Amino acid sequence: MTSKRALVLVAAVTLSLAACSVAMAQQSRPYGEEGHQRPQLYQAPELTSVNNPYSDYPAAEVQAVPAAKARAAIAKMELLRAQANLNRGTRAAVRTFEHSDEVSKARSEQNQAYQQYQAARERALQPLQNDEQYRAAQIMKQELRDQIVERHYEAGPEKPVLHEIIAMAGLKLRYATQMTNREVEALRSSPEVSEARERLVAASERVTNLRQRFDQDLRDDPDLIAARRAVFDQKVAHVASQAYLAGLKEARGIALDYAYFVRRYNPYRVMGYDRYGFHRSYYGYGGAFDKGYGY
């Protein structure tokens, strides 16, 4: 009778432990039972304690990652919006400057002064067209240019005769220098060209001064300063959110590995679940299954 009672007691303990093992294994799986067409996702309970004997699933670490991803996405979009605001404000300021009355008037005066200078220059160089030496130098320059092009064309892919081309290029440069000296002398002796050049320089300096002043105002504009500061702050927030997300992912991986190894290799904590089914032994109860009373 004593042996029979012992066998009955061992069988009862075995059934109880098997039921507990099934419940714990179901709790450790992320999905529902196999065989269902649409398995229900496992809702992990909130991690209340590190020494929770019923669940080692790191719910807090896993659930923190989606929120961190959302914050990183928001930080990225906030950075893009800050940059768009800065670009929009800068373009608006430049557009206002370019279409202002002062700048439009200065640019109109510059264009008018340039046209007057070109007209005065052409009138000053007009007498050179009747000068025989100037015309001869102009004709020789054109002929030498054509001959140099012809020598290159005749040589084709082969190496051209360099000493002939260099000699012709030297002659061409000499005639061009003679023409330039005559033109400079004619322009220097023309009071109309000098006056037109002075007006053009003054108009160009005025436009340059307006642009330099606008560049300084653009740097000192309080709205643009605030926009640039907002862009920098959003860059800092974006970098911080990415670093926070990377840290959470690393912590999640460590927590998942810890939970797996605790359930897989720690029989004193809870019966685990492996590819062969439930563990065949549970040493916390004195190793009764190893004595032949279990499976």
Side-chain angles (χ1 to χ4, degrees):
M1 287 299 292
T2 304
S3 61
K4 290 183 178 180
R5 289 181 181 180
L7 290 175
V8 171
L9 180 60
V10 170
V13 172
T14 302
L15 293 176
S16 177
L17 292 177
C20 294
S21 301
V22 171
M24 292 175 183
Q26 290 176 348
Q27 193 177 27
S28 66
R29 299 179 191 176
Y31 300 99
E33 290 292 329
E34 297 180 358
H36 291 274
Q37 295 181 356
R38 298 182 61 183
Q40 298 295 328
L41 292 179
Y42 167 68
Q43 300 294 333
E46 184 178 357
L47 187 62
T48 58
S49 175
V50 178
N51 297 321
N52 186 356
Y54 300 105
S55 176
D56 289 306
Y57 182 72
E61 290 81 356
V62 174
Q63 294 173 0
V65 173
K69 286 185 177 181
R71 285 193 290 269
I74 293 173
K76 181 179 180 180
M77 297 309 298
E78 290 291 344
L79 174 59
L80 295 178
R81 181 169 65 178
Q83 290 177 342
N85 291 335
L86 176 59
N87 296 336
R88 189 181 302 110
T90 304
R91 288 195 300 268
V94 172
R95 186 165 52 251
T96 302
F97 169 77
E98 293 293 341
H99 293 83
S100 62
D101 296 337
E102 187 177 11
V103 175
S104 299
K105 183 179 179 180
R107 293 177 60 182
S108 177
E109 292 177 356
Q110 183 184 20
N111 294 333
Q112 185 178 1
Y114 179 76
Q115 293 176 1
Q116 292 177 358
Y117 173 74
Q118 290 294 333
R121 187 175 183 278
E122 291 178 0
R123 285 192 292 269
L125 296 178
Q126 185 64 32
L128 294 178
Q129 300 299 327
N130 300 326
D131 189 286
E132 296 182 357
Q133 294 181 356
Y134 182 84
R135 289 291 300 169
Q138 190 177 19
I139 293 173
M140 291 300 300
K141 176 185 173 182
Q142 183 65 28
E143 290 181 356
L144 288 171
R145 187 187 71 84
D146 296 340
Q147 291 179 9
I148 292 173
V149 173
E150 185 178 357
R151 288 291 187 276
H152 280 284
Y153 181 76
E154 291 177 353
E158 299 179 0
K159 188 176 180 180
V161 183
L162 292 180
H163 67 275
E164 295 182 359
I165 294 178
I166 292 175
M168 289 185 292
L171 291 176
K172 177 186 174 184
L173 179 61
R174 184 186 306 172
Y175 288 117
T177 303
Q178 293 178 3
M179 294 175 57
T180 302
N181 293 336
R182 296 293 302 274
E183 291 175 357
V184 170
E185 183 180 356
L187 295 175
R188 187 182 300 159
S189 61
S190 174
E192 183 182 6
V193 173
S194 300
E195 184 179 357
R197 185 186 296 110
E198 293 177 359
R199 288 197 299 268
L200 178 60
V201 170
S204 301
E205 288 180 355
R206 183 179 179 185
V207 174
T208 302
N209 293 334
L210 289 175
R211 294 190 179 279
Q212 291 178 353
R213 188 180 65 183
F214 170 72
D215 291 340
Q216 187 63 36
D217 295 340
L218 198 64
R219 292 185 178 90
D220 298 337
D221 187 87
D223 295 334
L224 295 180
I225 290 176
R228 288 192 290 269
R229 186 180 297 112
V231 170
F232 183 78
D233 293 341
Q234 292 302 326
K235 287 182 179 180
V236 174
H238 179 61
V239 172
S241 65
Q242 293 294 332
Y244 179 70
L245 176 60
L248 278 182
K249 288 182 177 180
E250 184 178 0
R252 179 189 63 178
I254 295 173
L256 289 173
D257 292 340
Y258 169 78
Y260 172 78
F261 282 105
V262 164
R263 285 185 173 275
R264 181 67 176 83
Y265 297 108
N266 188 1
Y268 296 99
R269 183 174 180 83
V270 68
M271 293 182 67
Y273 183 84
D274 57 14
R275 59 182 177 177
Y276 301 108
F278 294 102
H279 289 313
R280 302 304 198 266
S281 63
Y282 193 80
Y283 299 102
Y285 285 84
F289 293 99
D290 292 339
K291 298 179 181 178
Y293 301 109
Y295 293 97

